[in-house]
Amino acid sequence: MTTRISGLPRRCVFCGGQPLTVEDVFPLWLGDYLGREPAYRVFSAGIGGGQRRGFQGLSMTARARRVCRDCNSGWMSSLESEASALIKPLLNETLAIPLTGGSGGNLTLLARWAMKTALMIQCVQRGSAIPPTVYEHFYATQLPPPSPQCQMFLARHTKHGISDGASSIGWSVKGPPSPAGALAYEGEMYGVTFWIANVVLQIIGYVPIVPAAGTFTLNYPSPYWGYVEQFWPAIAGITWPLSRPVLDDAGLIAFSRALRGMLPSGASPGVA
């Protein structure tokens, strides 16, 4: 039976098609590789100040009926097959992995896989932080949005108490008004941080409602610059494991929540 919302059949979050099938949030190969047991823990969740946020432990077997058969068995399956050869070595810190930029580099592949995984994580968390237009863009291009509308960062975790989890937050921003009274920009921002064993991936995005009158920059929380490497838009290249400090459990949670105060230059918080 097709799942319905308000009398209407639910459609694929990517292409709008049907019928829906059950898709693994994390691919089965990843759970098998790590030997993860099914588990689902909610550490905290809340709504306040016009911001949606939550931090959850995620099961390696979490599933969602939110994508259609064609997407599930087509481009999503192909992406997972391609990415598995890259992700598995990242989980083994005894190896030095060169990550290369450019359209054919493995940093672009990592960004594509991270974006797809972040979008699927939204399907099992309480309230999606990522607007539907981002799903549509990713389906159409098979790439994350370009900078400054999307940036991605890579960090390392100690793998101690919270080996797998995710934090998502969505908030609105408004740019300063011009002398004529029009806003310089207005839009929705989202941040998704997820970690698997030692690998931490963070996606930050901005979806404009009012197009920017000029350029703006996203002000990343400065206390964490020493821990991360930006990998999208794809840079020339980096080597994994990163030669940077490693986040412990407390630092990882603080790192994932630090995006709450992140705004474009000159912006003020909006009301979600």
Side-chain angles (χ1 to χ4, degrees), residues 99-175:
L99 300 172
T100 57
S103 59
N106 53 19
L107 283 177
T108 297
L109 175 59
L110 180 62
R112 293 174 58 218
W113 184 82
M115 192 78 222
K116 177 260 185 187
T117 304
L119 292 169
M120 287 305 302
I121 286 171
Q122 304 306 293
C123 295
V124 294
Q125 287 197 321
R126 292 190 180 102
S128 178
I130 303 181
T133 54
V134 181
Y135 287 82
E136 296 166 5
H137 177 277
F138 189 69
Y139 174 71
T141 66
Q142 300 291 293
L143 289 170
S147 181
Q149 291 188 22
C150 183
Q151 297 178 9
M152 297 189 185
F153 299 87
L154 182 65
R156 294 168 65 204
H157 177 227
T158 54
K159 300 185 294 183
H160 288 162
I162 48 175
S163 57
D164 310 307
S167 175
S168 301
I169 178 172
W171 67 107
S172 61
V173 292
K174 295 181 179 181

Side-chain angles (χ1 to χ4, degrees), residues 7 41 82-83 140 145 168 177 184 187 189 210-212:
R41 298 167 294 161
E82 187 179 3
S168 301
M189 292 190 67
V210 175

Side-chain angles (χ1 to χ4, degrees), residues 71-88:
C71 286
N72 194 346
S73 61
W75 66 269
M76 297 177 78
S77 177
S78 297
L79 176 55
E80 289 295 346
S81 296
E82 187 179 3
S84 65
L86 171 63
I87 305 302
K88 288 178 180 178

Side-chain angles (χ1 to χ4, degrees), residues 166-246:
S167 175
S168 301
I169 178 172
W171 67 107
S172 61
V173 292
K174 295 181 179 181
S178 67
L183 290 173
Y185 51 82
E186 180 179 4
E188 298 293 325
M189 292 190 67
Y190 59 89
V192 180
T193 308
F194 68 93
W195 51 96
I196 304 163
N198 57 311
V199 180
V200 184
L201 296 156
Q202 190 170 72
I203 298 97
I204 302 164
Y206 170 77
V207 178
I209 297 173
V210 175
T215 59
F216 67 88
T217 58
L218 295 178
N219 294 323
Y220 192 80
S222 58
Y224 297 97
W225 267 120
Y227 293 89
V228 302
E229 288 280 1
Q230 184 170 342
F231 71 94
W232 178 264
I235 58 176
I238 57 180
T239 299
W240 179 267
L242 304 179
S243 56
R244 291 176 175 267
V246 181

Side-chain angles (χ1 to χ4, degrees), residues 12 15 17-21 67-78 139:
C12 177
C15 71
Q18 293 178 310
L20 297 185
T21 59
V67 299
C68 70
R69 181 179 300 146
D70 288 345
C71 286
N72 194 346
S73 61
W75 66 269
M76 297 177 78
S77 177
S78 297
Y139 174 71

